[in-house]
Each structure stands twice: as C-alpha cells, then as structure tokens.
Amino acid sequence: MNDEKLNVFTKKAAVTDTLLRYLDGLDARNWGQITELLSKPFHLQAAMLNVDQIIQPEEYLALGPKRFLPGFDFTSHICSNTKIVVENNNAHLKTKLLACHHVKPSDADMTDSSPMFINTIYCNMHMNWEGWFSLQDHASWLINKIRMDVVAIEGDPKAFDLALERASKKPE
C-alpha cells in the first residue's frame, strides 16, 4: 500500500471516530463532547427541527438534544452503510442513522428483572445523515455541516412529548 492510500485510510478512520464520538456524546448527554466536535459556527439542515441555517453549537443543543434527550431513559444512535469521501483536508460522510429513543411511562411499570425496553414507550427514527468535515491544524476533525433527514419513524412519536415534559422538569 502506498503512502497516499494509507493517508486516505487514516483520515477516513479519524472522520469515522469523530462521528462516533458525536453519537456517543448524544447518548451520554455529554454536551461538551458534542460542541468540541462542531465548528463554530456550523451549518445545520434538519427538517424535523425546522432548521436550515448557520448556528452556534450551543444553539443546536438548545434546539434539540438538550430539549429532548434528558427526558429519555435510554437512547442509542447507531450508524451503518457509511461512505466517506476525502479530498485533501475535507471529508464528506453519508450514513444511515437509527436513532432509538426510549422512555419509561412510570417507575411503577418496571421490575428489577425486566429489561427496560419491554416496558417503555419508544420512537425510533431512521435517517439519512450527512456530515461535512474539515481537518484542523492539531490533526482533529470538525463537523462544519450536518444534514439530517428522517425517512421513517417507528413506535410512538408521543414518546418525544413525554420526554420533553420530563426534561422540562429536570434541573440542568
């Protein structure tokens, strides 16, 4: 393998790692981890949030992740069929994203022996997710643009209403 191919593979692995750290930040509610991966500002296109504009990472968190995610008992953001094109110090990533959201209707519905997913209200979103990345001087990648398009929803979309209600009652 020549040095150029090795360099492209290394860059693709680093871009993949950036995406996985972003998704992990969502599931762990680690807002700092997410903001350190986004350029300041960055372009967000998300029809489900009614957004197509250049915003700061903190504005993005306030529009969606910080509003809803704290109200869920469990989330899992999973990507597959990922394709990355690297050109010099820029990369474009396309993936299929499954965003799973679960909320317990009440603590009384749970027993210590039952898996949580049996007794939850859930809403899974299947998305086309794209990211545009740029390599920084310190060899890390930042996400400059995200486009999220929900193509299918399964479960109960009211899970988001319940999560929003619960999140509004939680202290930050």
Side-chain angles (χ1 to χ4, degrees), residues 14-43:
V15 168
T16 300
D17 182 64
T18 302
L19 172 64
L20 295 177
R21 287 175 40 226
Y22 167 81
L23 298 175
D24 175 66
L26 292 173
D27 290 333
R29 319 302 189 255
N30 186 338
W31 314 130
Q33 180 173 312
I34 295 168
T35 57
E36 75 183 21
L37 300 172
L38 300 171
S39 63
K40 294 167 185 66
F42 80 106
H43 187 172

PDB file of all heavy atoms in Angstrom, residues 14-43:
ATOM      1  N   ALA A  14     -10.240   8.552  11.119  1.00  0.00           N
ATOM      2  CA  ALA A  14     -10.375   9.684  12.049  1.00  0.00           C
ATOM      3  C   ALA A  14     -11.732  10.366  11.892  1.00  0.00           C
ATOM      4  O   ALA A  14     -12.334  10.801  12.885  1.00  0.00           O
ATOM      5  CB  ALA A  14      -9.238  10.688  11.827  1.00  0.00           C
ATOM      6  N   VAL A  15     -12.246  10.468  10.665  1.00  0.00           N
ATOM      7  CA  VAL A  15     -13.579  11.041  10.431  1.00  0.00           C
ATOM      8  C   VAL A  15     -14.637  10.133  11.056  1.00  0.00           C
ATOM      9  O   VAL A  15     -15.559  10.607  11.728  1.00  0.00           O
ATOM     10  CB  VAL A  15     -13.842  11.246   8.918  1.00  0.00           C
ATOM     11  CG1 VAL A  15     -15.304  11.552   8.650  1.00  0.00           C
ATOM     12  CG2 VAL A  15     -12.953  12.369   8.383  1.00  0.00           C
ATOM     13  N   THR A  16     -14.504   8.825  10.866  1.00  0.00           N
ATOM     14  CA  THR A  16     -15.430   7.874  11.489  1.00  0.00           C
ATOM     15  C   THR A  16     -15.402   8.025  13.003  1.00  0.00           C
ATOM     16  O   THR A  16     -16.453   8.033  13.651  1.00  0.00           O
ATOM     17  CB  THR A  16     -15.068   6.430  11.088  1.00  0.00           C
ATOM     18  OG1 THR A  16     -15.165   6.313   9.664  1.00  0.00           O
ATOM     19  CG2 THR A  16     -15.999   5.428  11.753  1.00  0.00           C
ATOM     20  N   ASP A  17     -14.218   8.146  13.576  1.00  0.00           N
ATOM     21  CA  ASP A  17     -14.095   8.328  15.026  1.00  0.00           C
ATOM     22  C   ASP A  17     -14.800   9.609  15.471  1.00  0.00           C
ATOM     23  O   ASP A  17     -15.465   9.619  16.508  1.00  0.00           O
ATOM     24  CB  ASP A  17     -12.618   8.366  15.433  1.00  0.00           C
ATOM     25  CG  ASP A  17     -12.447   8.515  16.921  1.00  0.00           C
ATOM     26  OD1 ASP A  17     -12.852   7.601  17.671  1.00  0.00           O
ATOM     27  OD2 ASP A  17     -11.922   9.573  17.354  1.00  0.00           O
ATOM     28  N   THR A  18     -14.696  10.672  14.699  1.00  0.00           N
ATOM     29  CA  THR A  18     -15.373  11.927  15.037  1.00  0.00           C
ATOM     30  C   THR A  18     -16.888  11.725  15.052  1.00  0.00           C
ATOM     31  O   THR A  18     -17.572  12.174  15.980  1.00  0.00           O
ATOM     32  CB  THR A  18     -14.975  13.039  14.050  1.00  0.00           C
ATOM     33  OG1 THR A  18     -13.545  13.209  14.092  1.00  0.00           O
ATOM     34  CG2 THR A  18     -15.644  14.360  14.386  1.00  0.00           C
ATOM     35  N   LEU A  19     -17.422  11.043  14.041  1.00  0.00           N
ATOM     36  CA  LEU A  19     -18.854  10.761  14.006  1.00  0.00           C
ATOM     37  C   LEU A  19     -19.271   9.930  15.218  1.00  0.00           C
ATOM     38  O   LEU A  19     -20.263  10.243  15.876  1.00  0.00           O
ATOM     39  CB  LEU A  19     -19.237  10.026  12.722  1.00  0.00           C
ATOM     40  CG  LEU A  19     -20.685   9.514  12.678  1.00  0.00           C
ATOM     41  CD1 LEU A  19     -21.683  10.663  12.711  1.00  0.00           C
ATOM     42  CD2 LEU A  19     -20.898   8.625  11.468  1.00  0.00           C
ATOM     43  N   LEU A  20     -18.511   8.886  15.527  1.00  0.00           N
ATOM     44  CA  LEU A  20     -18.871   8.022  16.653  1.00  0.00           C
ATOM     45  C   LEU A  20     -18.784   8.763  17.986  1.00  0.00           C
ATOM     46  O   LEU A  20     -19.612   8.534  18.875  1.00  0.00           O
ATOM     47  CB  LEU A  20     -17.993   6.768  16.662  1.00  0.00           C
ATOM     48  CG  LEU A  20     -18.187   5.848  15.458  1.00  0.00           C
ATOM     49  CD1 LEU A  20     -17.207   4.671  15.531  1.00  0.00           C
ATOM     50  CD2 LEU A  20     -19.615   5.373  15.333  1.00  0.00           C
ATOM     51  N   ARG A  21     -17.843   9.676  18.124  1.00  0.00           N
ATOM     52  CA  ARG A  21     -17.758  10.498  19.338  1.00  0.00           C
ATOM     53  C   ARG A  21     -18.957  11.440  19.434  1.00  0.00           C
ATOM     54  O   ARG A  21     -19.485  11.688  20.519  1.00  0.00           O
ATOM     55  CB  ARG A  21     -16.431  11.258  19.380  1.00  0.00           C
ATOM     56  CG  ARG A  21     -15.265  10.338  19.692  1.00  0.00           C
ATOM     57  CD  ARG A  21     -13.886  10.975  19.651  1.00  0.00           C
ATOM     58  NE  ARG A  21     -13.840  12.302  20.206  1.00  0.00           N
ATOM     59  CZ  ARG A  21     -13.231  13.334  19.616  1.00  0.00           C
ATOM     60  NH1 ARG A  21     -12.629  13.202  18.462  1.00  0.00           N
ATOM     61  NH2 ARG A  21     -13.221  14.499  20.185  1.00  0.00           N
ATOM     62  N   TYR A  22     -19.410  11.966  18.296  1.00  0.00           N
ATOM     63  CA  TYR A  22     -20.605  12.813  18.258  1.00  0.00           C
ATOM     64  C   TYR A  22     -21.825  12.012  18.717  1.00  0.00           C
ATOM     65  O   TYR A  22     -22.592  12.457  19.579  1.00  0.00           O
ATOM     66  CB  TYR A  22     -20.798  13.363  16.839  1.00  0.00           C
ATOM     67  CG  TYR A  22     -22.138  13.981  16.576  1.00  0.00           C
ATOM     68  CD1 TYR A  22     -22.419  15.292  16.974  1.00  0.00           C
ATOM     69  CD2 TYR A  22     -23.146  13.272  15.925  1.00  0.00           C
ATOM     70  CE1 TYR A  22     -23.666  15.863  16.730  1.00  0.00           C
ATOM     71  CE2 TYR A  22     -24.387  13.839  15.678  1.00  0.00           C
ATOM     72  CZ  TYR A  22     -24.632  15.128  16.086  1.00  0.00           C
ATOM     73  OH  TYR A  22     -25.861  15.689  15.850  1.00  0.00           O
ATOM     74  N   LEU A  23     -22.019  10.814  18.174  1.00  0.00           N
ATOM     75  CA  LEU A  23     -23.161   9.984  18.542  1.00  0.00           C
ATOM     76  C   LEU A  23     -23.084   9.552  20.003  1.00  0.00           C
ATOM     77  O   LEU A  23     -24.099   9.543  20.709  1.00  0.00           O
ATOM     78  CB  LEU A  23     -23.256   8.764  17.617  1.00  0.00           C
ATOM     79  CG  LEU A  23     -23.482   9.072  16.129  1.00  0.00           C
ATOM     80  CD1 LEU A  23     -23.445   7.791  15.307  1.00  0.00           C
ATOM     81  CD2 LEU A  23     -24.750   9.854  15.896  1.00  0.00           C
ATOM     82  N   ASP A  24     -21.883   9.206  20.464  1.00  0.00           N
ATOM     83  CA  ASP A  24     -21.693   8.868  21.871  1.00  0.00           C
ATOM     84  C   ASP A  24     -22.028  10.055  22.761  1.00  0.00           C
ATOM     85  O   ASP A  24     -22.637   9.893  23.823  1.00  0.00           O
ATOM     86  CB  ASP A  24     -20.246   8.416  22.113  1.00  0.00           C
ATOM     87  CG  ASP A  24     -19.969   8.159  23.577  1.00  0.00           C
ATOM     88  OD1 ASP A  24     -20.548   7.214  24.146  1.00  0.00           O
ATOM     89  OD2 ASP A  24     -19.172   8.932  24.163  1.00  0.00           O
ATOM     90  N   GLY A  25     -21.668  11.253  22.343  1.00  0.00           N
ATOM     91  CA  GLY A  25     -21.994  12.465  23.106  1.00  0.00           C
ATOM     92  C   GLY A  25     -23.497  12.644  23.254  1.00  0.00           C
ATOM     93  O   GLY A  25     -23.979  13.051  24.309  1.00  0.00           O
ATOM     94  N   LEU A  26     -24.247  12.329  22.197  1.00  0.00           N
ATOM     95  CA  LEU A  26     -25.708  12.400  22.285  1.00  0.00           C
ATOM     96  C   LEU A  26     -26.233  11.409  23.320  1.00  0.00           C
ATOM     97  O   LEU A  26     -27.028  11.766  24.187  1.00  0.00           O
ATOM     98  CB  LEU A  26     -26.356  12.109  20.924  1.00  0.00           C
ATOM     99  CG  LEU A  26     -26.146  13.133  19.816  1.00  0.00           C
ATOM    100  CD1 LEU A  26     -26.694  12.606  18.493  1.00  0.00           C
ATOM    101  CD2 LEU A  26     -26.776  14.470  20.167  1.00  0.00           C
ATOM    102  N   ASP A  27     -25.781  10.160  23.237  1.00  0.00           N
ATOM    103  CA  ASP A  27     -26.286   9.122  24.134  1.00  0.00           C
ATOM    104  C   ASP A  27     -25.841   9.330  25.584  1.00  0.00           C
ATOM    105  O   ASP A  27     -26.585   8.992  26.504  1.00  0.00           O
ATOM    106  CB  ASP A  27     -25.857   7.743  23.645  1.00  0.00           C
ATOM    107  CG  ASP A  27     -26.573   7.345  22.367  1.00  0.00           C
ATOM    108  OD1 ASP A  27     -27.703   7.828  22.143  1.00  0.00           O
ATOM    109  OD2 ASP A  27     -26.002   6.564  21.579  1.00  0.00           O
ATOM    110  N   ALA A  28     -24.666   9.902  25.763  1.00  0.00           N
ATOM    111  CA  ALA A  28     -24.156  10.146  27.124  1.00  0.00           C
ATOM    112  C   ALA A  28     -24.588  11.511  27.671  1.00  0.00           C
ATOM    113  O   ALA A  28     -24.288  11.834  28.810  1.00  0.00           O
ATOM    114  CB  ALA A  28     -22.628  10.057  27.130  1.00  0.00           C
ATOM    115  N   ARG A  29     -25.282  12.299  26.840  1.00  0.00           N
ATOM    116  CA  ARG A  29     -25.692  13.659  27.218  1.00  0.00           C
ATOM    117  C   ARG A  29     -24.460  14.494  27.584  1.00  0.00           C
ATOM    118  O   ARG A  29     -24.477  15.307  28.488  1.00  0.00           O
ATOM    119  CB  ARG A  29     -26.699  13.704  28.355  1.00  0.00           C
ATOM    120  CG  ARG A  29     -27.820  12.698  28.363  1.00  0.00           C
ATOM    121  CD  ARG A  29     -28.694  12.730  27.128  1.00  0.00           C
ATOM    122  NE  ARG A  29     -29.861  11.869  27.342  1.00  0.00           N
ATOM    123  CZ  ARG A  29     -29.998  10.665  26.784  1.00  0.00           C
ATOM    124  NH1 ARG A  29     -29.086  10.176  25.987  1.00  0.00           N
ATOM    125  NH2 ARG A  29     -31.086   9.954  27.003  1.00  0.00           N
ATOM    126  N   ASN A  30     -23.383  14.254  26.852  1.00  0.00           N
ATOM    127  CA  ASN A  30     -22.123  14.958  27.083  1.00  0.00           C
ATOM    128  C   ASN A  30     -22.060  16.128  26.096  1.00  0.00           C
ATOM    129  O   ASN A  30     -21.493  16.024  25.011  1.00  0.00           O
ATOM    130  CB  ASN A  30     -20.938  14.007  26.899  1.00  0.00           C
ATOM    131  CG  ASN A  30     -19.619  14.639  27.271  1.00  0.00           C
ATOM    132  OD1 ASN A  30     -19.478  15.853  27.282  1.00  0.00           O
ATOM    133  ND2 ASN A  30     -18.650  13.797  27.582  1.00  0.00           N
ATOM    134  N   TRP A  31     -22.665  17.231  26.499  1.00  0.00           N
ATOM    135  CA  TRP A  31     -22.802  18.390  25.606  1.00  0.00           C
ATOM    136  C   TRP A  31     -21.441  18.969  25.233  1.00  0.00           C
ATOM    137  O   TRP A  31     -21.255  19.419  24.106  1.00  0.00           O
ATOM    138  CB  TRP A  31     -23.699  19.442  26.243  1.00  0.00           C
ATOM    139  CG  TRP A  31     -24.965  18.887  26.834  1.00  0.00           C
ATOM    140  CD1 TRP A  31     -25.453  19.123  28.093  1.00  0.00           C
ATOM    141  CD2 TRP A  31     -25.933  18.008  26.234  1.00  0.00           C
ATOM    142  NE1 TRP A  31     -26.633  18.450  28.305  1.00  0.00           N
ATOM    143  CE2 TRP A  31     -26.954  17.746  27.176  1.00  0.00           C
ATOM    144  CE3 TRP A  31     -26.030  17.404  24.989  1.00  0.00           C
ATOM    145  CZ2 TRP A  31     -28.042  16.925  26.912  1.00  0.00           C
ATOM    146  CZ3 TRP A  31     -27.120  16.573  24.725  1.00  0.00           C
ATOM    147  CH2 TRP A  31     -28.101  16.347  25.673  1.00  0.00           C
ATOM    148  N   GLY A  32     -20.510  18.961  26.156  1.00  0.00           N
ATOM    149  CA  GLY A  32     -19.167  19.477  25.868  1.00  0.00           C
ATOM    150  C   GLY A  32     -18.477  18.668  24.783  1.00  0.00           C
ATOM    151  O   GLY A  32     -17.777  19.229  23.927  1.00  0.00           O
ATOM    152  N   GLN A  33     -18.639  17.365  24.829  1.00  0.00           N
ATOM    153  CA  GLN A  33     -18.043  16.495  23.812  1.00  0.00           C
ATOM    154  C   GLN A  33     -18.612  16.826  22.440  1.00  0.00           C
ATOM    155  O   GLN A  33     -17.878  16.862  21.452  1.00  0.00           O
ATOM    156  CB  GLN A  33     -18.304  15.034  24.165  1.00  0.00           C
ATOM    157  CG  GLN A  33     -17.740  14.029  23.185  1.00  0.00           C
ATOM    158  CD  GLN A  33     -17.887  12.612  23.689  1.00  0.00           C
ATOM    159  OE1 GLN A  33     -17.570  12.314  24.831  1.00  0.00           O
ATOM    160  NE2 GLN A  33     -18.387  11.728  22.844  1.00  0.00           N
ATOM    161  N   ILE A  34     -19.905  17.081  22.374  1.00  0.00           N
ATOM    162  CA  ILE A  34     -20.529  17.411  21.094  1.00  0.00           C
ATOM    163  C   ILE A  34     -20.027  18.764  20.586  1.00  0.00           C
ATOM    164  O   ILE A  34     -19.645  18.895  19.423  1.00  0.00           O
ATOM    165  CB  ILE A  34     -22.071  17.412  21.214  1.00  0.00           C
ATOM    166  CG1 ILE A  34     -22.566  16.004  21.533  1.00  0.00           C
ATOM    167  CG2 ILE A  34     -22.720  17.946  19.931  1.00  0.00           C
ATOM    168  CD1 ILE A  34     -24.014  15.936  21.946  1.00  0.00           C
ATOM    169  N   THR A  35     -20.014  19.769  21.447  1.00  0.00           N
ATOM    170  CA  THR A  35     -19.616  21.110  20.981  1.00  0.00           C
ATOM    171  C   THR A  35     -18.158  21.149  20.536  1.00  0.00           C
ATOM    172  O   THR A  35     -17.832  21.916  19.633  1.00  0.00           O
ATOM    173  CB  THR A  35     -19.869  22.197  22.046  1.00  0.00           C
ATOM    174  OG1 THR A  35     -19.174  21.863  23.244  1.00  0.00           O
ATOM    175  CG2 THR A  35     -21.343  22.352  22.334  1.00  0.00           C
ATOM    176  N   GLU A  36     -17.314  20.316  21.119  1.00  0.00           N
ATOM    177  CA  GLU A  36     -15.910  20.337  20.693  1.00  0.00           C
ATOM    178  C   GLU A  36     -15.724  19.699  19.314  1.00  0.00           C
ATOM    179  O   GLU A  36     -14.677  19.880  18.696  1.00  0.00           O
ATOM    180  CB  GLU A  36     -15.012  19.662  21.728  1.00  0.00           C
ATOM    181  CG  GLU A  36     -15.092  18.164  21.761  1.00  0.00           C
ATOM    182  CD  GLU A  36     -14.232  17.528  22.844  1.00  0.00           C
ATOM    183  OE1 GLU A  36     -13.865  18.205  23.817  1.00  0.00           O
ATOM    184  OE2 GLU A  36     -13.938  16.327  22.698  1.00  0.00           O
ATOM    185  N   LEU A  37     -16.724  19.007  18.819  1.00  0.00           N
ATOM    186  CA  LEU A  37     -16.638  18.357  17.511  1.00  0.00           C
ATOM    187  C   LEU A  37     -17.254  19.188  16.392  1.00  0.00           C
ATOM    188  O   LEU A  37     -17.107  18.845  15.225  1.00  0.00           O
ATOM    189  CB  LEU A  37     -17.328  16.994  17.561  1.00  0.00           C
ATOM    190  CG  LEU A  37     -16.756  16.003  18.569  1.00  0.00           C
ATOM    191  CD1 LEU A  37     -17.643  14.773  18.673  1.00  0.00           C
ATOM    192  CD2 LEU A  37     -15.336  15.626  18.206  1.00  0.00           C
ATOM    193  N   LEU A  38     -17.953  20.259  16.748  1.00  0.00           N
ATOM    194  CA  LEU A  38     -18.621  21.108  15.765  1.00  0.00           C
ATOM    195  C   LEU A  38     -17.844  22.403  15.559  1.00  0.00           C
ATOM    196  O   LEU A  38     -17.360  22.993  16.524  1.00  0.00           O
ATOM    197  CB  LEU A  38     -20.040  21.433  16.241  1.00  0.00           C
ATOM    198  CG  LEU A  38     -20.963  20.237  16.469  1.00  0.00           C
ATOM    199  CD1 LEU A  38     -22.250  20.686  17.152  1.00  0.00           C
ATOM    200  CD2 LEU A  38     -21.266  19.525  15.166  1.00  0.00           C
ATOM    201  N   SER A  39     -17.759  22.841  14.302  1.00  0.00           N
ATOM    202  CA  SER A  39     -17.119  24.133  14.052  1.00  0.00           C
ATOM    203  C   SER A  39     -18.017  25.232  14.612  1.00  0.00           C
ATOM    204  O   SER A  39     -19.213  25.046  14.808  1.00  0.00           O
ATOM    205  CB  SER A  39     -16.861  24.341  12.558  1.00  0.00           C
ATOM    206  OG  SER A  39     -18.062  24.386  11.832  1.00  0.00           O
ATOM    207  N   LYS A  40     -17.427  26.354  14.890  1.00  0.00           N
ATOM    208  CA  LYS A  40     -18.141  27.490  15.486  1.00  0.00           C
ATOM    209  C   LYS A  40     -18.076  28.662  14.515  1.00  0.00           C
ATOM    210  O   LYS A  40     -17.042  29.279  14.402  1.00  0.00           O
ATOM    211  CB  LYS A  40     -17.519  27.850  16.832  1.00  0.00           C
ATOM    212  CG  LYS A  40     -17.709  26.730  17.848  1.00  0.00           C
ATOM    213  CD  LYS A  40     -16.835  26.921  19.074  1.00  0.00           C
ATOM    214  CE  LYS A  40     -16.922  25.773  20.021  1.00  0.00           C
ATOM    215  NZ  LYS A  40     -16.409  24.511  19.562  1.00  0.00           N
ATOM    216  N   PRO A  41     -19.159  28.939  13.816  1.00  0.00           N
ATOM    217  CA  PRO A  41     -20.462  28.274  13.744  1.00  0.00           C
ATOM    218  C   PRO A  41     -20.402  27.092  12.779  1.00  0.00           C
ATOM    219  O   PRO A  41     -19.374  26.838  12.143  1.00  0.00           O
ATOM    220  CB  PRO A  41     -21.382  29.361  13.222  1.00  0.00           C
ATOM    221  CG  PRO A  41     -20.508  30.164  12.306  1.00  0.00           C
ATOM    222  CD  PRO A  41     -19.132  30.138  12.962  1.00  0.00           C
ATOM    223  N   PHE A  42     -21.526  26.388  12.632  1.00  0.00           N
ATOM    224  CA  PHE A  42     -21.645  25.322  11.643  1.00  0.00           C
ATOM    225  C   PHE A  42     -23.037  25.411  11.015  1.00  0.00           C
ATOM    226  O   PHE A  42     -23.913  26.104  11.515  1.00  0.00           O
ATOM    227  CB  PHE A  42     -21.371  23.939  12.267  1.00  0.00           C
ATOM    228  CG  PHE A  42     -22.532  23.353  13.033  1.00  0.00           C
ATOM    229  CD1 PHE A  42     -23.272  22.314  12.503  1.00  0.00           C
ATOM    230  CD2 PHE A  42     -22.885  23.838  14.286  1.00  0.00           C
ATOM    231  CE1 PHE A  42     -24.338  21.774  13.203  1.00  0.00           C
ATOM    232  CE2 PHE A  42     -23.946  23.301  14.992  1.00  0.00           C
ATOM    233  CZ  PHE A  42     -24.676  22.266  14.446  1.00  0.00           C
ATOM    234  N   HIS A  43     -23.202  24.705   9.897  1.00  0.00           N
ATOM    235  CA  HIS A  43     -24.469  24.742   9.149  1.00  0.00           C
ATOM    236  C   HIS A  43     -25.282  23.513   9.541  1.00  0.00           C
ATOM    237  O   HIS A  43     -24.809  22.388   9.434  1.00  0.00           O
ATOM    238  CB  HIS A  43     -24.179  24.738   7.657  1.00  0.00           C
ATOM    239  CG  HIS A  43     -25.391  24.941   6.811  1.00  0.00           C
ATOM    240  ND1 HIS A  43     -25.310  25.129   5.462  1.00  0.00           N
ATOM    241  CD2 HIS A  43     -26.721  24.985   7.097  1.00  0.00           C
ATOM    242  CE1 HIS A  43     -26.531  25.269   4.953  1.00  0.00           C
ATOM    243  NE2 HIS A  43     -27.392  25.180   5.936  1.00  0.00           N
TER     244      HIS A  43
END
